[in-house]
Amino acid sequence: MRNDSLANLLKEERRFAPPADLAAAANVTQAAYEQADADRLGFWAEQARRLTWATEPTETLNWSNPPFAKWFEDGELNVAYNCVDRHVEAGNGDRVAIHFEGEPGDSRSITYAELKDEVSKAANALTELGVRTGDRVAVYLPMIPEAVVAMLACARVGAAHSVVFGGFSADAVASRIQDADAKLVITADGGYRRGKPSALKPAIDEAVDKCPQVKHVLVVRRTGQDTAFTEGRDVWWHDVVGRQSAEHTPRAFPAEHPLFILYTSGTTGKPKGILHTSGGYLTQAAYTHHAVFDLKPESDVYWCTADIGWVTGHSYIVYGPLANGATQVMYEGTPDTPHQGRFWEVVQKYGVTILYTAPTAIRTFMKWGDDIPAKFDLSSLRVLGSVGEPINPEAWIWYRKHIGGDRCPIVDTWWQTETGAMMISPLPGATETKPGSAQRALPGISATVVDDEANEVPDGGGGYLVLTEPWPSMLRTIWGDDQRFIDTYWSRFEGKYFAGDGAKKDEDGDIWLLGRVDDVMLVSGHNISTTEVESALVSHPSVAEAAVVGATDETTGQAIVAFVILRGTASETDGLVADLRNHVGATLGPIAKPKRILPVQELPKTRSGKIMRRLLRDVAENRAVGDVTTLADSSVMDLIQSKLPDAGSED
């Protein structure tokens, strides 16, 4: 039977007040909402003053040609200077910027003074290799400090970086290099993954063969693997960067100067190059990191577990934390190497106070068992964060109890590659939190939920999440394709940015994310969110993780098909599928009962942990499985397909 206390807690939608000591000393309080509501642009102008400008902006927002925004347009700054030099100049050069923990157990701590020297040397190296202001540089690295140094060096010389996740195929890398027209690629011989070296350079060699515009490949030696070198093109990081001077004078660039391009999946199959610029992006990344995590740079140790190749790594490993002078942990490997307690071992070792991770990881930890985190001292933690997808209430409660000791507030953040920084989140010192809800737009952000006709829905209603006013860290366009930018984000609802996500408001007006709109199923005329069905399944004691898709059905339009991973103690008994269906029916109503439930060993996930629901839809509709190149383990699909004859059927 289900744990009664947990069932009641979720049923009552229990709320959690901010800890009194945190609230009393909070960076940001309820007053920030009032200030921003009274003068939104004045609020953002004040946040921009958190940065150091070479030329102070006098203009906040130019929205004369929507949807093309310009923020702090007449201001000039250097992003890298804001992330390193100014902290050294302020007397904080001895503060640790990055505690690096390698998967094999090697570690090093890098101070802000040391980071400034490394970034300066790398900037000089880029200049030697012919990189100029306005050029693009592709970065394909593991989670090592050189990834941060490379990004900041690009920012220092005014070259836009295009970081490509270090698990993408050679073809995926080549398409991104070509689209951005990058002239330099920064990579490594490899990185450590699940206890062994994983080569990166071969993929770059194959990709660069298709990219004649690439003049040089700069290679970090991380694993010491034998690495093929092309004479005249390939150069070692330790040779070229190592011989440079640590003196480099940063140039100031306009606030709208391109900072980076980050590619995200497009519905057409061609990746979209999301362009972010400098001043507005850094303002919002720094402010939200300060506000949402209640960061105290003198005492906090912050850890974001994301990969550098995703926007979370850009905004909340590199730019936000370093602009704020934070001390942070950077971990190279996987959470189960060499054992399933590795994350908690890292928290204990460094005294981590703020942890920011993904619901996928949290549910994995749940599956592994409560006893694993219980072996480690997690008492240093004071704020927990969630990012990447809606978090189901069961995982939220587990996270709070077993990681946060029932004392840490949880900030469930909603934002996207396109938004650049957090948009909707509780504030840990001001918000009474609800398990599973991102709650309300942050100060200075305008978000709401609308229906098909773009009318705002009342409290208790559901529909589409939209942003109704421009924000500083918003994408400026899709690289090289302004029309696609307009068509993709601004055509569904006139004058509003449509995020592509479904959402609902509760009776208090708080926002609950329901996942992508294409993950909202239409079953017999009823809109049913895959996220809600997944949450219902995971609330059953036998289920560790669930993924739900809508499959075409002659009778109902779409039928709900669920793929579930059972908890270690649960077994696949004859009555389990019927029990799970009835549990969902009791939780959400009979209309939400899955037609089929398939217990599986694993779910198809990308290397960043996202579940590839389109592949599950292919299985559910008995058609050939599509492209699996972005999966962490493509053999998972064979295992899932082998389960089809055992699928549970409708009562």
Side-chain angles (χ1 to χ4, degrees):
M1 240 180 99
R2 188 165 175 214
N3 181 297
D4 285 341
S5 62
L6 182 55
N8 291 335
L9 185 146
L10 294 176
K11 190 173 180 181
E12 293 165 8
E13 289 187 2
R14 186 175 157 196
R15 301 165 189 221
F16 296 87
D21 56 342
L22 193 155
N27 287 351
V28 179
T29 65
Q30 195 67 34
Y33 295 104
E34 295 157 14
Q35 180 193 353
D37 288 348
D39 181 2
R40 192 174 65 86
L41 295 183
F43 171 83
W44 283 118
E46 181 178 317
Q47 304 319 317
R49 288 191 280 274
R50 301 173 56 77
L51 307 181
T52 302
W53 296 82
T55 304
E56 292 277 347
T58 63
E59 302 172 21
T60 301
L61 170 64
N62 178 347
W63 191 234
S64 60
N65 181 30
F68 300 96
K70 294 177 180 178
W71 283 85
F72 314 116
E73 186 177 7
D74 60 346
E76 293 189 335
L77 79 170
N78 185 283
V79 169
Y81 175 88
N82 273 274
C83 291
V84 284
D85 305 58
R86 66 174 180 154
H87 305 310
V88 178
E89 291 171 8
N92 294 317
D94 290 340
R95 180 184 296 165
V96 172
I98 299 170
H99 290 296
F100 171 67
E101 182 76 14
E103 194 187 76
D106 58 318
S107 60
R108 55 186 163 128
S109 294
I110 302 165
T111 66
Y112 273 95
E114 291 166 340
L115 184 60
K116 174 181 175 289
D117 288 350
E118 287 304 307
V119 172
S120 296
K121 289 160 71 173
N124 286 325
L126 293 183
T127 302
E128 180 183 313
L129 293 171
V131 175
R132 300 291 178 260
T133 299
D135 285 343
R136 274 79 61 202
V137 174
V139 178
Y140 186 74
L141 284 169
M143 281 291 289
I144 56 177
E146 287 81 1
V148 177
V149 171
M151 293 165 72
L152 290 173
C154 289
R156 198 173 187 90
V157 302
H161 56 71
S162 170
V163 181
V164 183
F165 176 61
F168 274 137
S169 67
D171 284 346
V173 177
S175 70
R176 287 158 171 78
I177 293 172
Q178 289 161 355
D179 190 73
D181 194 26
K183 67 191 298 186
L184 172 73
V185 178
I186 304 176
T187 189
D189 51 1
Y192 289 95
R193 199 87 181 149
R194 294 207 153 82
K196 56 181 186 291
S198 174
L200 289 177
K201 179 70 162 38
I204 290 299
D205 290 339
E206 187 181 334
V208 170
D209 283 345
K210 303 169 189 170
C211 305
Q213 80 276 17
V214 173
K215 304 302 181 197
H216 292 288
V217 177
L218 182 57
V219 187
V220 178
R221 180 179 283 156
R222 168 62 181 145
T223 61
Q225 295 166 270
D226 288 339
T227 303
F229 251 55
T230 300
E231 197 65 38
R233 184 196 73 186
D234 298 350
V235 289
W236 284 111
W237 176 283
H238 57 267
D239 285 341
V240 181
V241 177
R243 66 167 177 257
Q244 303 296 329
S245 163
E247 296 301 317
H248 181 275
T249 303
R251 244 184 78 196
F253 299 102
E256 283 298 325
H257 187 77
L259 179 61
F260 66 87
I261 303 164
L262 187 55
Y263 287 86
T264 186
S265 299
T267 53
T268 62
K270 184 191 177 197
K272 305 187 295 282
I274 304 303
L275 175 66
H276 284 288
T277 54
S278 302
Y281 167 80
L282 192 62
T283 293
Q284 193 171 332
Y287 172 70
T288 51
H289 183 259
H290 161 84
V292 172
F293 296 120
D294 192 51
L295 177 82
K296 317 289 191 199
E298 304 80 12
S299 55
D300 275 320
V301 178
Y302 163 81
W303 182 20
C304 170
T305 69
D307 190 277
I308 216 84
W310 309 112
V311 73
T312 306
H314 285 53
S315 300
Y316 297 108
I317 293 177
V318 182
Y319 293 112
L322 295 178
N324 288 333
T327 295
Q328 66 177 316
V329 171
M330 184 176 186
Y331 174 56
E332 177 183 32
T334 54
D336 58 352
T337 306
H339 55 80
Q340 291 177 335
R342 186 63 188 275
F343 267 30
W344 318 125
E345 185 177 68
V346 169
V347 169
Q348 178 178 278
K349 176 177 177 179
Y350 293 104
V352 172
T353 59
I354 303 166
L355 178 66
Y356 194 32
T357 194
T360 297
I362 295 163
R363 288 191 292 266
T364 298
F365 300 141
M366 287 175 68
K367 181 171 66 176
W368 291 345
D370 306 347
D371 58 314
I372 294 173
K375 296 172 186 170
F376 298 90
D377 180 4
L378 306 183
S379 61
S380 60
L381 289 167
R382 68 181 196 90
V383 176
L384 302 177
S386 169
V387 62
E389 59 182 307
I391 183 170
N392 53 296
E394 189 99 2
W396 196 105
I397 293 293
W398 186 92
Y399 191 28
R400 178 183 164 89
K401 179 179 179 183
H402 293 283
I403 307 306
D406 267 334
R407 70 183 184 281
C408 298
I410 294 176
V411 288
D412 173 14
T413 63
W414 177 85
W415 59 295
Q416 303 174 303
T417 303
E418 292 87 346
T419 72
M422 297 170 188
M423 304 293 283
I424 304 174
S425 171
L427 289 175
T431 309
E432 191 177 59
T433 53
K434 301 174 182 176
S437 173
Q439 299 200 253
R440 65 180 290 192
L442 288 165
I445 303 300
S446 302
T448 191
V449 182
V450 299
D451 62 19
D452 284 302
E453 282 74 49
N455 300 310
E456 186 168 359
V457 302
D459 292 349
Y464 306 95
L465 182 67
V466 295
L467 304 171
T468 58
E469 298 285 353
W471 62 100
S473 65
M474 66 194 290
L475 78 165
R476 296 307 192 253
T477 190
I478 292 172
W479 181 255
D481 200 340
D482 287 350
Q483 190 57 49
R484 189 180 182 194
F485 167 64
I486 294 167
D487 293 345
T488 303
Y489 302 109
W490 302 92
S491 62
R492 178 70 174 82
F493 301 108
E494 187 176 352
K496 296 178 175 66
Y497 171 92
F498 174 43
D501 283 343
K504 66 180 180 183
K505 293 184 190 175
D506 64 19
E507 298 304 329
D508 299 320
D510 286 332
I511 293 172
W512 297 68
L513 276 302
L514 300 176
R516 301 295 296 173
V517 168
D518 54 10
D519 290 335
V520 175
M521 303 167 290
L522 190 65
V523 181
S524 299
H526 296 267
N527 281 315
I528 299 173
S529 159
T530 57
T531 302
E532 289 184 310
V533 180
E534 288 165 4
S535 290
L537 285 162
V538 173
S539 71
H540 189 283
S542 297
V543 177
E545 193 163 7
V548 168
V549 295
T552 302
D553 185 271
E554 288 180 2
T555 308
T556 59
Q558 282 188 302
I560 302 171
V561 180
F563 300 79
V564 298
I565 300 174
L566 302 181
R567 292 198 182 211
T569 55
S571 58
E572 196 175 326
T573 59
D574 288 344
L576 178 65
V577 166
D579 187 32
L580 293 178
R581 291 190 67 250
N582 291 332
H583 176 76
V584 174
T587 305
L588 296 178
I591 191 70
K593 278 189 182 183
K595 184 171 186 179
R596 290 195 296 173
I597 297 179
L598 287 74
V600 294
Q601 292 299 308
E602 197 46 82
L603 293 167
K605 293 176 183 174
T606 65
R607 295 169 184 88
S608 67
K610 295 254 183 183
I611 296 168
M612 295 285 281
R613 287 178 176 79
R614 66 171 172 80
L615 297 178
L616 294 176
R617 207 169 285 117
D618 291 342
V619 170
E621 296 186 347
N622 291 315
R623 60 173 177 260
V625 171
D627 178 22
V628 297
T629 56
T630 57
L631 287 183
D633 179 5
S634 57
S635 66
V636 166
M637 292 311 299
D638 297 328
L639 290 172
I640 290 174
Q641 287 179 296
S642 71
K643 297 286 296 186
L644 274 174
D646 302 322
S649 58
E650 193 173 9
D651 288 347

